[in-house]
């Protein structure tokens, strides 16, 4: 007779390792602002320490960087402008700043050592400083890598802001969606958007548009033969990878279902073709963006 | 434009390599960075610690010579460049494992073998930067990897016949292979979709635009 004791062992494991690491990706990752798990005061006392551990565990430099990489890749592949991760970006920029200062400080220390060292023990200090360059090298190389990702991410967003200028303007004018534009763009991007729009409009107006009859002067005419407002192509195809959900999500996620092979999968519907598609966990698909948009927002799939 | 044309819808191979370089890999360090427990007796300033902001810096500060440990690939390559470590090739990058994969590819014409998503990039990187760390002769490994790549390319070519307007499933295709296919596959499928929806516009109503919660055009 076989008695399965896996769950009992798991229970024991959880006691010995204080920090719960079993489901790193379950606590609503990519809520797009990096602001996860709010500590709610109405939790029962036994729950709070666990929650706190989860919270601290969640915001580590490594996780933030992984999240930034995912956001960067999603932004590069998706046809629409994704919401700006304000908190995550603040944390990243602060860390870059601190790291730069730290490198500065350490390299200052090098000069002092080099000046003072040779007089006392020339052999050892020469050897020592040579060895000590390595950490500095690593830190500088890493800093360059982080800066590259952030730069590429922001440039990609600026490209999309240029492209969807009129569409974003429309969102702004629509009134009820004014708040949504604020969370879609960062403060600097908002400034860039409005100023770039103003200067471009001025150029068009002064060079061409003022010679037109009044009914043809609008730059955002959607009534004419061709709509002037470029919307994101919602139906554009993208490559996506279905992420492995965590243990807890496996049981609780209402969207997850099992297919005939027993593998978990999400079922999505392509409305235009009236077709259901199973997205098996771990698979790579080419799919229309509008179909998987909600899954992407929830961080269940990532674009590649 | 703020983003160059060739980067607007896809990644450059260098960026793919950048992504792959973030993955962890095992190394044999040749230096010891771990502090001995009683270093205080020696006096003098403690050596500089490496504080990293993207990966776990404990791993690099706890290196003991010839005891294998795991660091990010870019760090491993940096150390290798300085001759401070040797890189342990992953399990799948041996003649045996590659032979198995090739066998699998040959016996299953309808699917790709389960290579890791970064195999092509990782293999090229290691062949170039750490050729002396392999147990098997590098030229053999190189030719096996090339074989595997060609077999998979053939399958991809066969699969292109099935491009359609609904979807495509490409399990186990690696990132670099996806990236070189991307412009062609996506554009072709987009055109197919446009033709399809234009033909069916009268019979099937397109999805309502306000489904996304965006306002009606002004």
């Amino acid at each position: 007779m076989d008695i399965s004791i896996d769950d009992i062992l798991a229970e024991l494991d959880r006691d010995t390792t204080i920090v719960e690491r079993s489901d790193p990706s379950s606590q609503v990752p990519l809520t797009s602002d990096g602001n996860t798990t709010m500590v709610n005061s109405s939790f029962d006392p036994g729950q709070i320490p666990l929650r706190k551990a989860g919270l601290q565990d969640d915001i580590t430099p490594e996780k933030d960087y992984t999240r930034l990489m995912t956001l960067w890749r999603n932004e590069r592949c998706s046809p629409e402008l994704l919401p700006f991760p304000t908190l995550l970006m603040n944390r990243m920029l602060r860390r870059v700043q601190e790291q730069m200062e730290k490198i500065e400080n350490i390299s200052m220390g090098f000069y002092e050592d080099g000046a003072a060292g040779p007089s006392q023990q020339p052999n050892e200090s020469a050897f020592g400083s040579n060895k000590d360059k390595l950490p500095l090298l690593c830190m500088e190389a890493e800093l360059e890598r982080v800066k590259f990702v952030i730069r590429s991410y922001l440039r990609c967003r600026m490209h999309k802001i240029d492209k969807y200028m009129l569409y974003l303007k429309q969102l702004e004018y629509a009134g009820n969606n004014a708040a949504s534009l604020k969370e879609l763009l960062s403060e600097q991007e908002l400034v860039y958007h409005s100023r770039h729009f103003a200067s471009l409009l001025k150029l068009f107006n002064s060079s061409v548009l003022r010679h037109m009859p009044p009914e043809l002067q609008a730059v955002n005419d959607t009534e004419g033969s061709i709509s002037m407002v470029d919307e994101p192509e919602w139906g554009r195809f993208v490559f996506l990878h279905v992420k492995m959900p965590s243990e807890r999500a496996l049981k609780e996620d209402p969207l997850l279902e099992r297919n005939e092979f027993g593998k978990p999968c999400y079922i999505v519907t392509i409305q235009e073709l009236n077709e259901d598609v199973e997205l098996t966990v771990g698979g790579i698909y080419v799919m229309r963006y509008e179909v998987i948009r909600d899954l992407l927002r929830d961080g269940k799939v990532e674009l590649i | 434009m703020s983003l160059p044309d060739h980067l607007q819808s896809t990644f450059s191979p260098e960026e793919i390599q950048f992504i792959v370089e973030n993955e962890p890999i095992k190394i044999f360090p040749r230096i010891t960075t771990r502090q001995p427990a009683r270093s205080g007796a020696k006096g003098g300033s403690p050596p500089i610690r490496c504080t990293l902001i993207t990966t776990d810096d404990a791993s690099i500060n706890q290196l003991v010579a010839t005891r294998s440990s795991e660091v990010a690939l870019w760090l491993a390559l940096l150390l290798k460049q300085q001759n401070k470590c040797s890189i342990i090739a992953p399990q799948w990058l041996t003649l045996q494992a590659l032979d198995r994969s090739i066998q699998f590819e040959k016996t299953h014409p309808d699917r790709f073998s389960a290579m890791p998503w970064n195999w092509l990039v990782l293999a090229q990187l290691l062949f170039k930067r750490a050729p002396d760390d392999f147990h098997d002769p590098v030229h053999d490994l190189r030719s096996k990897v090339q074989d595997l790549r060609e077999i998979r390319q053939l399958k991809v070519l066969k699969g292109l016949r099935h491009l359609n307007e609904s979807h495509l499933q490409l399990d186990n295709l690696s990132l670099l292979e996806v990236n070189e296919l991307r412009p062609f596959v996506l554009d072709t499928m987009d055109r197919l979709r446009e033709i399809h929806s234009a033909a069916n516009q009268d019979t099937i109503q397109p999805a309502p635009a306000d489904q996304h919660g965006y306002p009606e055009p002004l």
Side-chain angles (χ1 to χ4, degrees), chain A residues 1-20:
Chain A
M1 188 173 72
D2 280 343
I3 300 174
S4 168
I5 58 166
D6 286 350
D7 48 341
I8 304 174
L9 286 178
E11 196 85 347
L12 280 173
D13 261 358
R14 200 169 312 143
D15 289 344
T16 48
T17 61
I18 305 154
V19 183
E20 190 189 38

Side-chain angles (χ1 to χ4, degrees), chain A residues 63-132:
Chain A
K63 291 226 172 104
D64 276 351
Y65 181 62
T66 323
R67 224 169 280 157
L68 182 68
M69 284 298 283
T70 320
L71 281 175
W72 172 56
R73 290 167 68 178
N74 286 350
E75 190 73 62
R76 286 289 293 274
C77 299
S78 79
E80 73 161 330
L81 191 67
L82 297 171
F84 187 78
T86 315
L87 291 181
L88 175 68
M89 202 47 106
N90 285 347
R91 287 201 298 269
M92 272 335 264
L93 289 179
R94 202 192 60 228
R95 273 186 209 126
V96 167
Q97 189 65 37
E98 282 170 5
Q99 186 80 346
M100 270 160 69
E101 285 165 12
K102 196 175 223 160
I103 290 177
E104 190 86 353
N105 286 342
I106 292 178
S107 54
M108 301 262 276
F110 263 135
Y111 295 131
E112 281 167 26
D113 272 3
S119 60
Q120 296 164 355
Q121 349 157 284
N123 260 339
E124 208 173 298
S125 82
F127 176 71
S129 73
N130 197 16
K131 206 170 116 187
D132 283 345

